[in-house]
Amino acid sequence: FDQPYPMSWEKGDFGDVDALAKLDDGTNLHVMFNLADRSENDWGVEFYRGNSQSVTGQGDAQRVFATVLAAIGRFIKKQKPDRLFFTAVKEEDPTGSRAKLYDRLVQKYATGLGYELHKVDYPQQTGYKLTRKEQKVSQAKR
């Protein structure tokens, strides 16, 4: 998890921000940050390997996820979003499920970046919301 792939960054026409990485097997990793609510500084996060969000079974899952986490960390440091939202499917594969992997890593990672994690379980997926702790304090003062 300490060797993410190198990334390049692009800003989209509609305010979205994308991190792109070329993986060792020649496929591309695309981490998308989509502005959900400009007035609230809320962002959705999605990532694709190739053109798929499904577990591909192509290996290197830890390094791919390390790259996703590195992209989220860089995005947070630059944009300072109030909230980030993303989901993980619960479907099991030979390496486990994304939701179980996220559960183990996201809490630690979020806390280290100054965010509080809120998790909601749905039948097929788990939803994650990271809320900036400083934002919660300033909202309480209003």
Side-chain angles (χ1 to χ4, degrees):
F1 287 109
D2 61 350
Q3 295 182 346
Y5 285 98
M7 290 174 272
S8 61
W9 290 82
E10 294 180 356
K11 188 154 184 144
D13 295 334
F14 301 102
D16 55 312
V17 179
D18 302 325
L20 308 165
K22 184 72 128 179
L23 307 181
D24 285 344
D25 66 359
T27 60
N28 294 311
L29 176 64
H30 186 183
V31 184
M32 298 171 39
F33 298 90
N34 301 302
L35 188 58
D37 186 340
R38 186 176 306 278
S39 66
E40 296 292 326
N41 196 19
D42 292 351
W43 294 80
V45 181
E46 300 177 49
F47 72 92
Y48 299 84
R49 182 178 190 158
N51 289 319
S52 175
Q53 285 187 310
S54 300
V55 175
T56 64
Q58 292 173 291
D60 210 13
Q62 287 85 2
R63 191 166 181 206
V64 169
F65 195 61
T67 306
V68 172
L69 288 176
I72 290 171
R74 290 181 196 162
F75 180 82
I76 284 173
K77 287 176 184 169
K78 183 169 180 154
Q79 294 291 128
K80 296 179 180 37
D82 295 332
R83 282 169 288 283
L84 283 173
F85 304 91
F86 53 95
T87 60
V89 295
K90 291 182 178 179
E91 178 183 331
E92 292 285 332
D93 70 65
T95 63
S97 75
R98 281 194 185 162
K100 287 180 183 175
L101 175 65
Y102 287 19
D103 285 350
R104 290 193 307 263
L105 296 173
V106 172
Q107 176 69 50
K108 179 180 176 186
Y109 196 73
T111 301
L113 291 169
Y115 284 75
E116 186 174 293
L117 173 64
H118 302 276
K119 188 173 89 165
V120 178
D121 282 313
Y122 300 104
Q124 301 298 318
Q125 64 185 5
T126 301
Y128 299 87
K129 177 174 80 170
L130 303 180
T131 303
R132 188 162 42 106
K133 291 178 184 178
E134 296 167 16
Q135 176 66 17
K136 286 181 68 180
V137 170
S138 65
Q139 285 179 342
K141 291 180 181 178
R142 288 190 223 172

